[in-house]
Amino acid sequence: MKQFKTESKRILDLMINSIYTNKEIFLRELISNASDAIDKLKFISLTDGNVQSDFKIQLSIDKDNKILTISDSGIGMTEKELEKNLGTIAESGTYAFKKENGKQDGEDLIGQFGVGFYSAFMVADKIVVTTKAYKSDKAYRWESAGVSGYEITEAEKDTVGTKIELYLKEDGEDFKYSDFLAESKLESLVKRYSDYIRYPITLKVLGTDKTLNSMVPIWKKPKSEVKDEDLAEFYKNEFHDFEAPLKSTYAKIEGTVTYDTMLFIPSRAPFDYYSKDYKKGVKLYSNGVLIMDKCEELIPDYFGFIKGIVDSSDLNLNISREILQQDRQVRAIAVSLEKKILSKLKKMQNTDREAYEKMFAEFGLSIKFGVYAGFGMKKDDLQDLLMFYSSRKEKLVTLKEYVEGMIEGQDAIYYACGESYEKIARLPQIEKAKDKGYEILYMKDGVDEFVAKVLISYSDKKFVSVSEADFNTLGEDEKKEIDKKNEEFKSVLEFIKESLGDKVKEVKISANLKTYPVCITSGGDLSIEMEKVLNALPNADKKVKAEKVLEINAEHKIAEKLKNLYESDKETLKKYAIVLYEQARLLEGLQIENVSEFIDAMSEII
Ligand code: ADP
């Protein structure tokens, strides 16, 4: 007896003891696996004339022994594949991820990822898989009664393909497993979940084989016949998601190339979406025959979250991965598909803001990377999809909405960066601006400021960071006032600058502070937020440093104090300079630069 890999065991355990009410989905999962296996063999059959072409999925029931069997004439599995595929859970990342997130609830797990083959353990207490792989002369049998482990032995099987026997659980009070032995039940389940499967799914009813599914690909059906539920089922099935998609659309495109397409926005980002492991792409069909599971050439990275299918009769069936990129038809479809997605998203933003915001919460980062990537090559297309949090409206707004809401005299788009909206809201330098009624965009993603820099402007309004030293919202008179203050404090400011050395580039009277005594802004091209982001990168061995300007609030009582110290006690003023500088760093979300120096200075002042 072989043991399951630890994580598979946990998943199995969840399945076996599942209180999950939707147990029937196991059939959809097994049929979908069978269909995938046939897809693979069918593809081979295009070039190998020896492959038998009776592609189908057969259900059969043995009421006496309570066995439900699902057989397919697909590609089968070798002994090695059997071991690898059924001994380990396919998405091994799944469990690790869930554990990290502190949730181990079975329902949630099935909910988020689907668990394929293992879901059969929700209804069966023993499973026997007999399989013969394409081009193999031996067949193998995999048997398991659950967590205790599994056994693989040699077996007899004439034809290539896989047979899965489910020994159904005993009926209990809360669930009647024997329902799955009723013809009518199976028929309705196949109709509900697997109708569009392109191969016949048959069941012996009254001695004759009956085909249960219509086999028409859903995208070939007239729109009027396809209900939203059908689309959702198709999506879940085809893309192994448990949740219905957030949005779906389908269309027949006729132009330079003709194709049918169905596109979906998942409700939730896959757990690995923002990792290198994630593979984007849509399913590519030629006249209903699957050519490729994930054709990445058809989807730009920033729309990598889009799932869907493309079916075109203009495509060459034997197209290989290598020439895909150069293929004229594929290029043409990619261009047209991108336009389609873009216009769909824009429409969604205007007509269904709630769904759009959900989409943006999950995938907005992807779009932001799209704006930033390639030196902003795609910014004109993508900028209107962006949304940022508005200080005034306290929700996400588009750039267009921001510009429309600009107040009299405002000529720039103001933004503030930080770790969280709460922290940004407390930035000392935005207090005055907010009081005056200016709307400020809060940016909390690392990529946000890079996006602002790449965009430069929107609708001719420049992006201006509130953390730039020359940011201010002052009128002419107020500006003169600040100039006067700088003159008045000149020698004090110079002394503080000198005592802080190259920690700061400049010390000046602030144009923006209201209640806080000090703040730090950046005096160069590299902003403080970028310093944080860049230094947090995994391979940032050489730390970068933004040029810092220490701003002092002339209206705060600390200003008078500094002036007095300058006259009477320059040594103490030096300590004050250190304390104020480190304080300002903290307010900006930076760490204390020199802890011991700070503590010494602090203690002496106290
Ligand atoms: P998933 O389908 O999400 O990959 P499963 O646990 O359902 O995960 O299946 C694991 C793997 O086992 C599949 O990827 C496939 O390679 C193999 N497999 C499952 N069912 C079959 C089948 N009927 N024929 C051939 N291979 C299969």
Side-chain angles (χ1 to χ4, degrees):
M1 181 84 59
K2 290 195 178 177
Q3 293 299 307
F4 287 103
K5 297 264 157 53
T6 325
E7 54 199 27
S8 306
K9 223 161 151 174
R10 308 289 281 272
I11 305 268
L12 258 175
D13 204 38
L14 285 173
M15 286 302 114
I16 293 163
N17 301 310
S18 169
I19 45 146
Y20 188 51
T21 43
N22 213 7
K23 293 183 199 291
E24 63 195 31
I25 57 125
F26 81 93
L27 190 65
R28 167 188 88 191
E29 299 289 316
L30 295 187
I31 288 177
S32 152
N33 280 349
S35 168
D36 290 349
I38 299 178
D39 273 343
K40 287 180 195 151
L41 191 59
K42 184 164 182 184
F43 186 67
I44 290 173
S45 78
L46 298 173
T47 49
D48 182 347
N50 295 323
V51 175
Q52 60 129 349
S53 59
D54 184 19
F55 296 121
K56 63 177 174 194
I57 300 163
Q58 281 174 297
L59 306 182
S60 50
I61 40 196
D62 173 349
K63 288 188 180 160
D64 297 337
N65 298 306
K66 294 196 184 138
I67 301 172
L68 171 63
T69 305
I70 295 121
S71 314
D72 67 66
S73 50
I75 194 161
M77 282 176 272
T78 61
E79 185 181 13
K80 250 202 197 136
E81 285 166 340
L82 203 51
E83 167 89 47
K84 179 171 150 272
N85 294 336
L86 305 189
T88 345
I89 190 122
E91 284 169 316
S92 55
T94 306
Y95 186 70
F97 171 77
K98 294 305 289 185
K99 215 163 46 179
E100 258 172 39
N101 284 263
K103 284 193 214 155
Q104 294 187 24
D105 176 350
E107 178 135 357
D108 212 56
L109 192 79
I110 304 171
Q112 230 171 320
F113 308 102
V115 280
F117 175 77
Y118 284 118
S119 63
F121 278 106
M122 287 196 289
V123 299
D125 42 28
K126 184 171 110 179
I127 299 179
V128 176
V129 178
T130 314
T131 183
K132 187 173 182 183
Y134 162 69
K135 282 209 160 155
S136 156
D137 44 3
K138 277 190 186 152
Y140 293 91
R141 175 189 153 98
W142 177 100
E143 180 179 335
S144 168
V147 218
S148 55
Y150 61 91
E151 249 166 347
I152 295 177
T153 48
E154 272 192 39
E156 287 299 315
K157 193 173 186 305
D158 294 338
T159 52
V160 169
T162 302
K163 180 171 91 176
I164 299 176
E165 289 162 295
L166 307 178
Y167 290 73
L168 297 177
K169 291 184 185 178
E170 285 296 328
D171 286 352
E173 266 179 17
D174 46 347
F175 203 86
K176 256 186 94 200
Y177 297 93
S178 58
D179 275 356
F180 297 122
L181 297 168
E183 284 90 348
S184 58
K185 175 77 178 177
L186 292 176
E187 183 163 357
S188 79
L189 287 180
V190 168
K191 278 236 149 53
R192 170 143 18 117
Y193 294 114
S194 313
D195 188 62
Y196 70 92
I197 293 279
R198 294 167 296 279
Y199 311 103
I201 303 168
T202 65
L203 175 67
K204 262 209 172 50
V205 180
L206 300 172
T208 52
D209 272 342
K210 182 175 177 191
T211 299
L212 307 180
N213 55 331
S214 77
M215 286 189 281
V216 179
I218 193 164
W219 58 90
K220 293 278 188 200
K221 289 185 181 171
K223 261 191 179 177
S224 57
E225 271 179 31
V226 182
K227 294 187 294 254
D228 281 352
E229 299 99 88
D230 301 333
L231 273 181
E233 270 321 317
F234 169 78
Y235 164 80
K236 290 194 260 184
N237 222 332
E238 199 80 347
F239 301 102
H240 304 279
D241 196 345
F242 172 81
E243 267 180 280
L246 186 62
K247 278 274 163 188
S248 46
T249 178
Y250 74 124
K252 184 170 197 66
I253 312 277
E254 279 163 338
T256 27
V257 278
T258 299
Y259 64 96
D260 292 298
T261 182
M262 263 183 163
L263 301 171
F264 302 93
I265 301 173
S267 293
R268 244 190 273 210
F271 72 96
D272 60 351
Y273 184 61
Y274 291 103
S275 82
K276 276 207 300 281
D277 298 334
Y278 181 79
K279 286 213 162 45
K280 61 167 179 154
V282 294
K283 290 199 173 187
L284 185 61
Y285 292 87
S286 170
N287 252 341
V289 178
L290 181 70
I291 308 186
M292 207 168 286
D293 215 26
K294 284 187 175 164
C295 183
E296 48 183 325
E297 285 76 6
L298 288 178
I299 292 275
D301 284 344
Y302 41 88
F303 293 149
F305 53 91
I306 300 279
K307 305 272 185 195
I309 65 100
V310 162
D311 188 357
S312 172
S313 44
D314 293 347
L315 285 170
N316 177 355
L317 255 185
N318 292 315
I319 192 163
S320 71
R321 270 251 169 248
E322 292 69 48
I323 64 159
L324 211 63
Q325 240 166 340
Q326 285 107 53
D327 189 89
R328 259 189 34 238
Q329 314 286 3
V330 173
R331 283 302 315 145
I333 296 176
V335 170
S336 134
L337 210 56
E338 178 173 354
K339 276 205 197 112
K340 174 103 199 142
I341 296 170
L342 199 59
S343 77
K344 270 282 156 191
L345 288 174
K346 282 190 183 156
K347 187 167 161 215
M348 186 174 156
Q349 193 186 54
N350 289 324
T351 58
D352 189 351
R353 181 56 78 93
E354 197 187 329
Y356 188 84
E357 284 184 19
K358 270 195 195 144
M359 181 288 294
F360 201 77
E362 297 291 322
F363 305 111
L365 209 51
S366 185
I367 296 173
K368 288 176 187 173
F369 281 120
V371 171
Y372 168 65
F375 304 103
M377 216 164 63
K378 282 283 174 182
K379 68 180 182 183
D380 289 344
D381 284 342
L382 299 178
Q383 59 188 4
D384 283 314
L385 298 180
L386 296 173
M387 297 193 90
F388 296 103
Y389 185 88
S390 149
S391 62
R392 192 194 299 154
K393 303 205 182 79
E394 297 186 338
K395 60 174 190 173
L396 295 179
V397 296
T398 64
L399 294 172
K400 186 156 173 268
E401 286 158 356
Y402 179 93
V403 169
E404 283 165 359
M406 281 171 49
I407 59 174
E408 182 131 345
Q410 182 178 0
D411 56 2
I413 299 171
Y414 298 130
Y415 67 90
C417 303
E419 246 171 76
S420 66
Y421 296 150
E422 298 76 46
K423 283 194 180 162
I424 300 170
R426 286 198 301 265
L427 282 176
Q429 63 268 39
I430 62 174
E431 232 180 333
K432 228 186 209 171
K434 278 204 293 193
D435 274 3
K436 287 185 171 179
Y438 289 103
E439 185 175 18
I440 294 166
L441 297 177
Y442 290 179
M443 301 189 167
K444 71 176 169 60
D445 288 333
V447 67
D448 285 347
E449 186 162 30
F450 294 88
V451 167
K453 296 269 180 206
V454 161
L455 287 176
I456 304 166
S457 65
Y458 176 86
S459 182
D460 290 333
K461 311 290 180 206
K462 268 198 142 114
F463 280 89
V464 172
S465 164
V466 303
S467 298
E468 281 166 26
D470 42 16
F471 161 73
N472 71 72
T473 53
L474 300 183
E476 282 312 312
D477 290 349
E478 290 168 306
K479 261 188 203 140
K480 279 198 191 115
E481 201 54 38
I482 294 291
D483 288 346
K484 247 167 65 190
K485 287 282 178 197
N486 268 308
E487 205 42 53
E488 180 189 334
F489 280 86
K490 194 161 185 259
S491 42
V492 187
L493 298 172
E494 274 171 5
F495 182 85
I496 295 175
K497 156 70 188 117
E498 215 164 283
S499 72
L500 288 175
D502 55 11
K503 285 191 172 90
V504 293
K505 184 190 165 206
E506 192 190 343
V507 180
K508 67 174 194 181
I509 295 298
S510 176
N512 304 309
L513 289 173
K514 188 185 159 206
T515 54
Y516 290 90
V518 283
C519 74
I520 271 183
T521 53
S522 70
D525 285 338
L526 186 71
S527 75
I528 291 166
E529 208 46 40
M530 285 184 180
E531 170 184 315
K532 283 189 247 172
V533 173
L534 294 174
N535 288 339
L537 293 177
N539 50 0
D541 35 312
K542 245 201 173 155
K543 297 281 177 203
V544 295
K545 237 183 185 170
E547 289 183 327
K548 298 183 182 67
V549 175
L550 180 65
E551 300 195 10
I552 295 173
N553 184 357
E555 305 305 319
H556 194 278
K557 55 182 185 294
I558 194 75
E560 259 336 282
K561 176 86 191 177
L562 295 175
K563 214 194 226 169
N564 291 339
L565 284 173
Y566 180 73
E567 305 297 339
S568 61
D569 184 357
K570 292 208 171 58
E571 274 317 300
T572 307
L573 180 54
K574 282 185 189 166
K575 311 286 180 232
Y576 268 75
I578 290 166
V579 172
L580 288 175
Y581 167 73
E582 298 288 13
Q583 251 181 32
R585 286 182 63 94
L586 288 175
L587 280 167
E588 193 59 34
L590 291 162
Q591 284 181 338
I592 290 185
E593 187 167 282
N594 188 332
V595 177
S596 58
E597 191 182 56
F598 173 63
I599 291 180
D600 286 348
M602 223 13 198
S603 324
E604 274 185 52
I605 292 171
I606 295 168

